[in-house]
Amino acid sequence: GFLPLQGHVVRNWKVRWFVLLQDKLLYYKIEGGKKEPSPKGRILLDGCTITCPCLEYENRPLLIKLKTKTNTDYFLECCSREERDSWALDITGAIHAGHPVQVQELHRMKNSFKLLENISLHNIVERMYDSSTGIKLTRNLDQGNRYKETFTGSALVDWLISNSFAVSRFEAVTLASMLMDENFIRPVGVRSTEATRSSDPSEKFLDDSTALYMFAESSKKSTSSKEEVHFNISELSGTIVKQGFLVKQGHKRKNWKVRKFVLRADPAFLHYYDPTKEDNKPVGGFSLRGCLVSALEDNGVPAGVKGNVQGNLFKIITKNDIHYYIQASSKAERVQWIEAIKPLT
């Protein structure tokens, strides 16, 4: 699949097509909507160490770090936590392919939890407050209200794992729930507040990038004027239905670029982002109301499509008659995107 990769010489980000083999991770360049036949590079997994979650880049919270036995660092970025954890588990399995016991232990740790006897909730909170290594506090928006000094549920889970307070997301969620029960942190905003009413203790704290929390003694929400927000809040406030990397044909130059697509409902919008950029702002997007979405035939190049693309295309026509040509990585992925978009049109 597609993953942004940081360059070694020029420390910029390029999107590459990754293929995981038993002993190596190959990555390919995409030109004109088609994968080049020879790999651009390879990461040898023998003796590799993996760090996930990797929080070395504040603006890129979904990183996997691979350090080879020659001490070369590779940073790979995923577009969702589910995708990141899936890649990390598969890569870890490949690294330990010759050691089945370690693979079994990895799966066991992922699905079990035992609270360490020497763990101290006060110590965790004290570490969370640390100005340099603690949890990063940011302003966040929830249904038109702007909250100061908050963090998301998934950010806290990542932080707990990266600071060795937990070895799995299940453990981290359990710890975060205990912090909330002991009134060290509290939910703010609709999503996280509603979750606390769940009868299931494991569902009271949300490992989610849209669920907001803050330290219990922090000031309550403060709303800001609409002028402070530089992007259309309403169209970015919908629930994320699906996200992933797709290849899109440009409107002017008709060249093909990998973009991170985010599909939202209520309101229904499809936005796309440049995954090589540091900021997390859409480079484009449109309302799905009144749109038509359909698959394009794989035999030949459809009308309106430029370049030697390798199939799995679909088209979205907006109610303003703007045509978007998008390429998925497989027929199955194309079907998934079309089925997710259609109900929102």
Side-chain angles (χ1 to χ4, degrees):
F2 289 113
L3 295 172
L5 168 72
Q6 188 185 58
H8 293 301
V9 182
V10 181
R11 310 296 282 182
N12 56 354
W13 295 83
K14 298 288 186 182
V15 180
R16 298 290 182 243
W17 178 261
F18 280 81
V19 177
L20 177 62
L21 303 179
Q22 186 171 357
D23 60 344
K24 64 178 76 74
L25 190 59
L26 305 177
Y27 52 94
Y28 297 79
K29 192 176 180 181
I30 302 292
E31 279 295 335
K34 192 170 185 178
K35 176 174 74 71
E36 292 189 342
S38 300
K40 180 78 174 174
R42 67 193 69 213
I43 303 171
L44 298 178
L45 297 177
D46 180 40
C48 232
T49 58
I50 182 170
T51 303
C52 180
C54 172
L55 306 181
E56 291 190 24
Y57 291 87
E58 187 176 343
N59 292 336
R60 295 180 180 270
L62 299 175
L63 290 180
I64 296 171
K65 179 182 178 181
L66 295 175
K67 182 185 282 291
T68 68
K69 64 180 181 182
T70 58
N71 287 324
T72 303
D73 291 340
Y74 291 88
F75 293 93
L76 318 177
E77 185 178 31
C78 300
C79 70
S80 68
R81 280 167 176 81
E82 294 76 17
E83 183 190 52
R84 181 194 63 187
D85 293 346
S86 176
W87 269 105
L89 192 64
D90 289 342
I91 292 171
T92 304
I95 291 172
H96 298 304
H99 308 279
V101 174
Q102 287 180 279
V103 177
Q104 290 176 5
E105 179 68 11
L106 178 73
H107 285 273
R108 188 195 66 76
M109 287 171 62
K110 186 174 183 288
N111 297 308
S112 65
F113 173 66
K114 182 180 179 181
L115 186 64
L116 297 175
E117 293 181 3
N118 61 347
I119 207 146
S120 163
L121 296 182
H122 287 278
N123 180 39
I124 293 175
V125 175
E126 189 175 320
R127 291 274 299 277
M128 286 174 68
Y129 270 112
D130 190 284
S131 59
S132 59
T133 61
I135 188 91
K136 302 299 181 186
L137 303 177
T138 60
R139 289 174 177 262
N140 278 289
L141 193 75
D142 183 87
Q143 296 199 345
N145 293 322
R146 187 175 286 277
Y147 294 87
K148 290 182 178 179
E149 298 186 331
T150 61
F151 47 87
T152 66
S154 52
L156 178 54
V157 169
D158 285 351
W159 184 88
L160 288 168
I161 295 173
S162 66
N163 284 272
S164 303
F165 289 115
V167 297
S168 69
R169 303 195 79 76
F170 179 76
E171 286 189 21
V173 167
T174 305
L175 272 179
S177 300
M178 294 169 66
L179 291 171
M180 196 163 60
D181 289 342
E182 296 297 323
N183 203 33
F184 288 112
I185 63 173
R186 65 182 182 84
V188 290
V190 175
R191 187 90 200 281
S192 54
T193 303
E194 286 182 349
T196 61
R197 302 189 182 101
S198 171
S199 58
D200 187 345
S202 66
E203 297 177 359
K204 290 182 182 295
F205 180 89
L206 298 178
D207 178 8
D208 193 294
S209 59
T210 62
L212 302 181
Y213 299 87
M214 61 167 39
F215 291 114
E217 66 273 23
S218 298
S219 58
K220 208 176 178 182
K221 69 179 181 184
S222 63
T223 57
S224 65
S225 65
K226 292 181 180 178
E227 287 73 24
E228 274 190 41
V229 184
H230 300 296
F231 207 84
N232 189 334
I233 291 174
S234 62
E235 65 183 74
L236 292 173
S237 63
T239 303
I240 294 178
V241 175
K242 187 174 177 60
Q243 55 187 328
F245 294 113
L246 298 167
V247 189
K248 174 187 166 294
Q249 181 177 265
H251 290 300
K252 295 179 180 178
R253 296 184 180 178
K254 305 297 182 184
N255 55 351
W256 292 85
K257 298 283 188 181
V258 179
R259 294 290 181 249
K260 174 185 173 182
F261 279 79
V262 178
L263 177 63
R264 293 181 172 92
D266 300 321
F269 272 82
L270 184 63
H271 292 97
Y272 48 95
Y273 301 71
D274 185 344
T276 66
K277 302 297 183 186
E278 289 298 329
D279 59 21
N280 193 31
K281 295 179 181 178
V283 294
F286 51 91
S287 170
L288 290 171
R289 295 301 179 199
C291 283
L292 296 174
V293 57
S294 60
L296 297 177
E297 294 295 331
D298 287 342
N299 51 341
V301 180
V305 173
K306 304 292 183 182
N308 186 21
V309 293
Q310 53 191 22
N312 306 318
L313 292 167
F314 64 98
K315 178 170 70 172
I316 302 175
I317 306 175
T318 70
K319 63 181 180 180
N320 298 325
D321 200 35
I322 299 174
H323 293 225
Y324 289 87
Y325 295 96
I326 302 169
Q327 181 183 15
S329 60
S330 66
K331 285 184 173 63
E333 187 183 45
R334 176 173 65 180
V335 169
Q336 291 169 8
W337 273 99
I338 292 174
E339 290 181 349
I341 291 170
K342 270 186 176 177
L344 302 178
T345 60

